[in-house]
Amino acid sequence: MKLLLLETSTSLCSAALCEDGVITAYRQSSEPRAHASMTAVYVEELLAERSIRAAGLDAVCLSMGPGSYTGLRVGSSTAKGLCFGAGVPLIAVGTLEVLAAQAISSGQAEGCKHIVPLIDARRMEVYSAVFSAEGRQLTETKPEIVTSESYSDLLAQGPVLFVGDGAGKCKDVITSANARFMQCNPRADAMMVPAMEAYRQKRFKDIAYFEPFYLKDFVATVSERKLF
């Protein structure tokens, strides 16, 4: 099984190649918002490194959001173009699921009763859901304003790991002794386990009609600066 994994939902983009359950090549941007310039480059480098043609892939897997509107658009167009051109299927996994898998593989979720991935939105808003310590999603994905009372019911039950690029800004607000924090961006290599499961179950997406999970509509703003 050869899967190309693409993660473009937050400020850092990454790509990985999975062969028979092993990550054999990996790339990640060191600069934020480099999705448009680096995603296709990473794909080319990974395939060349392992001497694999795009048509030799079994599938392309995309982290489908929620997250950055622009990042998700870049990832989606890259994945769909590859799949259409090479004639391989498209699979997609939720970005919160990727973060939960990342927390488990890192070992930082050990001893926790729940995992709560947090994707930074704006101000004190995050996109979140509750997962079991084994990585099973227990609640729907939704936007949430974080306050001192957020997740208090969960925290009363035992240790909770908050993971993602939204975890850092919640650390000063959620002060329970049961709260643990893992500030990070989702990584393409953490997508391997849910991607392989989706492939085995043949949960393929329609390449023509697939859209990322934006959760919220894109809102364009007008700059106040005068250009002329």
Side-chain angles (χ1 to χ4, degrees), residues 37-54:
S37 60
M38 297 308 300
T39 303
V41 173
Y42 289 160
V43 171
E44 184 177 10
E45 290 179 353
L46 294 177
L47 295 178
E49 182 177 324
R50 299 297 299 168
S51 300
I52 297 173
R53 296 174 60 250

Side-chain angles (χ1 to χ4, degrees), residues 96 113-120 124-131 139-163 166-167 169-171 173-181:
L96 297 182
K113 190 172 181 63
H114 294 97
I115 301 169
V116 179
L118 303 173
I119 294 178
D120 190 14
M124 288 308 296
E125 187 175 36
V126 294
Y127 302 136
S128 70
V130 177
F131 286 73
T139 66
E140 66 178 4
T141 300
K142 61 181 181 180
E144 184 162 355
I145 302 294
V146 178
T147 70
S148 60
E149 298 301 314
S150 295
Y151 311 105
S152 56
D153 291 345
L154 283 183
L155 290 162
Q157 299 175 35
V160 177
L161 178 64
F162 298 94
V163 56
K169 72 179 185 181
C170 299
K171 194 171 185 178
V173 178
I174 301 174
T175 57
S176 168
N178 277 333
R180 302 177 184 177
F181 298 89

Side-chain angles (χ1 to χ4, degrees), residues 46-147:
L46 294 177
L47 295 178
E49 182 177 324
R50 299 297 299 168
S51 300
I52 297 173
R53 296 174 60 250
L57 294 168
D58 289 294
V60 176
C61 183
L62 175 70
S63 176
M64 67 179 182
S68 158
Y69 183 90
T70 301
L72 291 172
R73 293 298 291 180
V74 170
S76 176
S77 60
T78 303
K80 291 170 73 172
L82 278 167
C83 290
F84 182 79
V88 300
L90 172 68
I91 53 182
V93 297
T95 304
L96 297 182
E97 185 180 1
V98 175
L99 282 169
Q102 191 166 319
I104 292 169
S105 64
S106 72
Q108 293 198 43
E110 187 173 346
C112 290
K113 190 172 181 63
H114 294 97
I115 301 169
V116 179
L118 303 173
I119 294 178
D120 190 14
R122 64 184 89 178
R123 300 183 180 89
M124 288 308 296
E125 187 175 36
V126 294
Y127 302 136
S128 70
V130 177
F131 286 73
S132 71
E134 296 73 36
R136 181 168 57 91
Q137 187 165 344
L138 304 176
T139 66
E140 66 178 4
T141 300
K142 61 181 181 180
E144 184 162 355
I145 302 294
V146 178
T147 70

Side-chain angles (χ1 to χ4, degrees), residues 1-3 18-22 192 196:
M1 185 192 300
K2 296 182 177 66
L3 303 178
C18 163
E19 298 179 68
D20 298 325
V22 177
M192 181 181 73
M196 291 175 62

